[in-house]
């Protein structure tokens, strides 16, 4: 387990802009070293805010978008094109504005897709797609993502792994169907903690006063069953990106005075 690093920004707008710049640098570095990069996107206001900031960043053209694989950490199991789906929101925020290779945009299945309304079959299908993309160097059933981003919910959930529900307890499968989620819609598809931990870097995004208690709980040594965000970490780096409001309940000793 890599100990988390914290960066606290003045407000959510600055956090989104700085995170976008950080992501561009990480992708460019990965492409320079290996010829390609892979990123796992997250939805929600912070994930979409980051994508919008990336779309507006002049440096976005430094990325070779055709050599970037995009995956998702979770998805609302709704029909294709539904405005509540993470992929729909990501397309509006960024994806439709950059020259991606469609074959490298790995959206999670929709409820009107090839698996119909069977979220468990959809999860198994996405797990198979991940396994097919994993190479020998990845040493497992999912690619070693360069960056995997997660929004942190007020209840400490990440992806669609909610406290105490079966999905957060999964230790074998990489993707699961989620039933009875405590926030709508109740049916979702989500990466599991083992899949999340395959990433080289895991970035957790939290902005707003409503995320302050969740950040404090997750960073105070809570267990991952009760606080799923506490169980999300990367192989080489775990980075919490917060604004001042979300960091307001953290002990000041956790992050340096110079954070901006």
């Amino acid at each position: 387990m890599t100990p988390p690093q914290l960066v606290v920004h003045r407000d959510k707008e600055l956090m989104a802009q700085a995170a976008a710049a950080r992501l561009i640098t990480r992708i460019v570095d990965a492409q320079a070293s290996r010829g390609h990069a892979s990123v796992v996107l997250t939805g929600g206001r912070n994930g979409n805010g980051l994508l919008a900031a990336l779309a507006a960043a002049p440096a976005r053209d430094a990325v070779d978008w055709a050599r970037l694989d995009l995956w998702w950490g979770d998805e609302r199991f709704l029909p294709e094109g539904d405005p509540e789906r993470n992929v729909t929101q990501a397309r509006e925020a960024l994806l439709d504005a950059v020259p991606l290779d469609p074959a490298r945009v790995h959206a999670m299945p929709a409820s009107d897709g090839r698996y119909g309304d069977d979220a468990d079959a959809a999860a198994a299908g996405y797990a198979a797609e991940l396994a097919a993309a994993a190479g020998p160097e990845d040493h497992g059933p999912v690619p070693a993502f360069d960056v995997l981003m997660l929004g942190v919910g007020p209840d400490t959930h990440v992806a669609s792994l909610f406290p105490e529900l079966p999905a957060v307890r999964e230790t074998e499968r990489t993707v699961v169907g989620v039933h009875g989620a405590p926030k709508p819609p109740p049916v979702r598809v989500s990466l599991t903690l083992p899949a999340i931990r395959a990433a080289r870097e895991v970035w957790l995004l939290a902005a707003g006063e409503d995320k302050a208690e969740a950040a404090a709980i997750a960073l105070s040594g809570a267990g991952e069953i009760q606080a799923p965000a506490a169980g999300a970490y990367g192989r080489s780096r775990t980075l919490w990106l917060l604004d001042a409001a979300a960091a307001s309940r953290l002990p000041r000793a956790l992050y340096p005075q110079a954070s901006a």
Side-chain angles (χ1 to χ4, degrees), residues 91-107:
R91 291 189 189 282
E92 293 175 354
L94 171 69
L95 307 192
D96 287 346
V98 292
L100 292 158
D101 177 353
R104 302 184 88 154
V105 178
H106 307 275

Side-chain angles (χ1 to χ4, degrees), residues 15-44:
M15 186 189 95
Q17 293 164 8
R22 188 185 295 272
L23 183 60
I24 290 170
T25 299
R26 187 68 188 86
I27 292 170
V28 170
D29 287 348
Q31 290 179 335
S33 63
R34 295 196 317 279
H36 60 89
S38 62
V39 171
V40 179
L41 300 181
T42 185

Side-chain angles (χ1 to χ4, degrees), residues 11-12 15 45-46 152 205-211 241-243 245-246:
D11 54 45
K12 65 180 181 181
M15 186 189 95
R45 68 175 189 251
N46 292 320
V152 179
L205 313 175
E209 190 175 348
D210 62 325
K211 306 296 180 70
L241 302 172
L242 308 103
D243 72 351

